Amino acid sequence: MTITQTADTRQAPTAGTRFRLLLRKYYFAFALALFLALLITNLLVQRDFGWVQQVAVFAPLALAAMASTPAILAGRGGIDLSISPLMTFCSMVFATWLIPLGLGGWPSVPLILLLGAAVGLVNGLLTVLLRIPAVVVTLAMYFVLAGLSLRISPSTVGIGDNWVGEIDTGIAGFPGALVLILVPVIAWAVLSRTLFGRQLFAVGGNDATALSSGVGVRSVRIAAFAFGGAIAGLGSFALLSVVHVADPGQSTAYTLLAIASVALGGTTLLGGRGGLLGSLLGAGSIFLVQSLLTVLKVPAQWLGLFYGGVLLVAVVVGALISRSGRTTS
Amino acid sequence: MTELRTATPGPGPASDPAGGPRTGAPTSGGRGGGGARARSFWETLAATQARFPVAQVALLFVTFAVGAIAIEGFGSYNSVRNMLVLASLVGLTAVGQTLVVLVGGLDLSVSGFIVAGALTVTQLAEMYGWNFGTALLVAIVGAGLLGAFTGWLCNRLNIQPLIVTLAMSAIAVGVVQVQTGGAQSGSAPAWLSQLSAPVATTFGIPMPPVVFLWLAVGVLMWLFLSRTRTGRQIYATGTNPRAADLALIRTRRIWTGVFAFSAISAVLAGVVLAGFAGSVDGSLGGPYLFQSLAAVIVGGTVFGGPGDYWRTMIGAILLVFLGTVILGLGFTIPDRQVMYGAIILLAMAAYGREKKLSSRI
């Protein structure tokens, strides 16, 4: 509609530009199409897909990807590399301290969420108040958390007979892991419609403009890190439900794939556009490709090359989509 | 060096009149700092720190003194020699990282290229029957191409190097792994191990050759960064890419070159590390990624400059001293990892801070 109005004053957008604009509005369209195509392929190849089990195995990556998203949305290179070690750290705290203290039941959920949010808060505070690049803060935090996890216990810790272990088998046929995935999705659906959500996009788009408009840039950015941390805390339950032990050696397992999922999901790594739904679909696509590779018996040594390639392609596609009309500051 | 540093607009007090003097801020001193009113003690200290890493050197001596008093045999020749060998390994892995940080990037592919390089000269060389020189050439060319692509891509599409190098790290290891069929095991030739074995001597001097190699690299890097045109262009690109572009510096070429150089230097460091470790597996590079970055930052090089490789060398020695003292006092390797993380944060808080948001409006 607007095209006809502006046609006489401005050059009509080419088909390519229009396509790009469409992709920018529905940022997750690419990930959605990819996800659906892969899902159909998977269902054709694997007759016995085993939904409950598949969702349980998928949950840690899904939550890691969603946890990485808020910090990236807040812009200025705000990337949180400490999400994967944080998930491991939370699972270590749960298995070594909370269970022996008798807090292994439902009270552990708010406690672990608080722990995750607290670590995210520290990341945010260091980034915003000390004005250290987020990459450096979270990379340092990555090593601090990985070190602390190993300090808590150098080897794996079992969780015994715990409700967390039953998440993956499902409660009355309903996949428990699906609940874990849906909690941040719903939280995000609500949050993104609040003032905070709009401010987050404003800060990510252009923080100087946001500050001039009276947005509390600092607190918004800190809150984004804390929100991501809380999701990572939730992710530790997904992690525990799959392997039934807390493994300090798994700190780095999801770092690369989580960021690849975010990029594949259409969230621009420059900040200001995207969302958790895209990251979820991006993570889903990566998971389905993994599943496909396993079924087709692709040797394990190809996986590293594949992960690297996916991340590279996702980042390049994302950069190409968001390139036009955006000035670099 | 000084001309360029004082001419660059840094996060100094000019844009932040209310904020007090920040100790260690590299650009807060310089020529513009003095003038009409007399400098306070802290301003003088900050200006000195900008020209020479006083704090790091002081900390180096303090750490050494603490170690010598608290730990039996810390100050002996053997112990110092071993620590210098470790420092030279950290330092050699940080050569490329220093340049990448100077242009304002971050290279997370160091660990991947270390492993790829080490595996190429050991396992792949054995598989394909290459001699050492051929294998080294293959590794250098391969790493150079991948690294150059990284730098070009980051600059062309304005992507954070962090993410591209993360991907490239997996790709570099993947390319080698696909050929070896997943098994990662290589053993280094004996002469290579002699390069960094603590008991080895260099022309009769009881110090392993790797330390002298590191010293030579340090001198070359100093000459390169301060005396060549490309070296000066690297500083200019890091300080202000747009200004550098207007000054007819081909910044994309600088980025491409710097990342290619970083990948190649990581591969070469991987070859030395293969000799040091004796056998090679996938975990060879991991610890050095973080230590190399820590050495660069602790040494006083910040994103986009200013900085220098000799500062990184001081940073590497400081890190190894600190790490050894920590382990000597009964702490564990995970503790040391936590400490390295904290040190990076402290160093960045002291002098690596970004401009205030309100000053950018």
Side-chain angles (χ1 to χ4, degrees), chain A residues 19-67:
Chain A
F19 179 63
R20 225 185 268 161
L21 285 174
L22 205 67
L23 273 184
R24 285 170 70 174
K25 190 170 175 198
Y26 300 101
Y27 68 93
F28 53 83
F30 177 70
L32 183 64
L34 193 65
F35 177 76
L36 289 177
L38 284 166
L39 190 62
I40 293 166
T41 322
N42 256 290
L43 290 175
L44 289 178
V45 178
Q46 292 174 270
R47 292 290 172 193
D48 46 344
F49 192 62
W51 286 98
V52 176
Q53 193 59 38
Q54 295 277 9
V55 171
V57 179
F58 166 55
L61 174 61
L63 284 156
M66 287 192 282

Side-chain angles (χ1 to χ4, degrees), chain A residues 74 121 124-125 127-131 196 199 203 207 210-211 215-225, chain B residues 353 355-358:
Chain A
L121 191 71
L125 286 173
T127 306
V128 170
L129 295 186
L130 292 181
R131 304 195 300 274
F196 168 74
Q199 288 186 338
V203 169
D207 48 1
L211 187 74
V215 175
V217 172
R218 291 172 160 204
S219 42
V220 167
R221 201 163 265 156
I222 294 171
F225 274 98
Chain B
R353 297 164 68 175
K355 267 191 264 185
K356 268 190 169 175
L357 180 56
S358 50

